[in-house]
Amino acid sequence: MKPLLHRLGLTALLLLGLALSGCGYNDFQRLDEQVKASWSEVLNQYQRRADLIPNIVNTVKGEANFEQETLARVIEARSRATAIQVTPETLNNPEAFNRFQQAQGELSSALSRLMAISENYPTLRANQAFQDLRVQLEGTENRITVARNAYIKAVQEYNVLARSFPTNLTAMVFGYQAKPSFTVANEAEISRPPTVDFGGGASR
């Protein structure tokens, strides 16, 4: 009797496994991990940018008569962006995700403004340390764009699975909701890296 029950149990598990595979359950697990990995890379690059900012600000502070309001905006924007607590739940909370997007977009805007104004100061343009920081910042902004685009693609694949039949039934049963992505307006704003003009012309 026990061997029979054992075989029936194994058969039931096998059938359950096949059913879950056929309804997209495994695909949800795979794509969810892909979204998380892509998001981690976005956060890594944003952190890289945040770590560069104190050095940039300190270098600019040494420039006589530099616009203090512009510096203050960068410092405040960095503070707001780094103060937001990002958790795995953020990926399933459109409101929290949008707050994060907005804070990072404000920081991008403040940095772009600072870099544009710095072109009006010849000694800053001639400062090798500052120019090195600019190159690092531009490289980081490009990495952010690449990482963010990978995240957008991963979310798109996940959301298509969550909304398509019959895998949308699996999504309803297991509570897999569509994940938020970067909005079009925000995408246009935060994907614009600071302009670097080594020819000494004014940035726009």
Side-chain angles (χ1 to χ4, degrees):
M1 188 67 177
K2 286 185 179 180
L4 177 61
L5 291 175
H6 182 67
R7 285 197 298 272
L8 288 174
L10 290 176
T11 301
L13 287 174
L14 178 61
L15 290 174
L16 177 61
L18 290 173
L20 291 176
S21 298
C23 67
Y25 179 83
N26 289 339
D27 287 332
F28 274 113
Q29 305 311 306
R30 175 178 58 82
L31 292 179
D32 187 53
E33 290 302 317
Q34 186 172 305
V35 168
K36 290 176 181 176
S38 299
W39 180 241
S40 293
E41 183 58 21
V42 171
L43 295 181
N44 285 340
Q45 297 307 327
Y46 276 136
Q47 185 60 52
R48 178 188 176 96
R49 180 174 70 175
D51 291 343
L52 278 173
I53 292 173
N55 291 333
I56 293 172
V57 169
N58 287 334
T59 303
V60 173
K61 276 182 179 179
E63 178 66 34
N65 302 319
F66 193 87
E67 294 187 19
Q68 294 303 307
E69 182 181 354
T70 300
L71 275 176
R73 285 181 179 176
V74 170
I75 295 169
E76 290 169 6
R78 179 186 185 276
S79 178
R80 285 193 295 270
T82 56
I84 296 178
Q85 297 297 314
V86 180
T87 66
E89 288 70 33
T90 303
L91 295 181
N92 299 313
N93 185 333
E95 185 177 338
F97 189 86
N98 286 337
R99 284 197 301 269
F100 177 82
Q101 283 191 85
Q102 183 176 1
Q104 294 295 339
E106 290 172 358
L107 180 52
S108 290
S109 180
L111 276 170
S112 294
R113 173 68 177 165
L114 184 147
M115 291 301 155
I117 291 176
S118 70
E119 290 296 332
N120 298 326
Y121 295 84
T123 53
L124 272 180
R125 293 202 305 269
N127 185 321
Q128 188 58 49
F130 182 67
Q131 295 302 333
D132 289 345
L133 287 169
R134 292 189 68 156
V135 171
Q136 290 181 57
L137 177 61
E138 184 182 49
T140 299
E141 292 285 356
N142 290 334
R143 290 187 186 95
I144 287 172
T145 298
V146 171
R148 192 178 56 252
N149 287 341
Y151 171 77
I152 290 171
K153 182 179 179 182
V155 168
Q156 182 182 37
E157 291 181 20
Y158 179 94
N159 288 347
V160 166
L161 187 69
R163 291 168 175 160
S164 300
F165 183 83
T167 51
N168 63 331
L169 302 178
T170 303
M172 285 189 290
V173 170
F174 290 96
Y176 299 138
Q177 299 179 352
K179 297 181 184 294
S181 189
F182 293 101
T183 62
V184 174
N186 186 262
E187 177 74 2
E189 175 62 30
I190 66 178
S191 66
R192 187 186 306 117
T195 301
V196 178
D197 181 2
F198 292 104
S203 295
R204 296 199 268 286

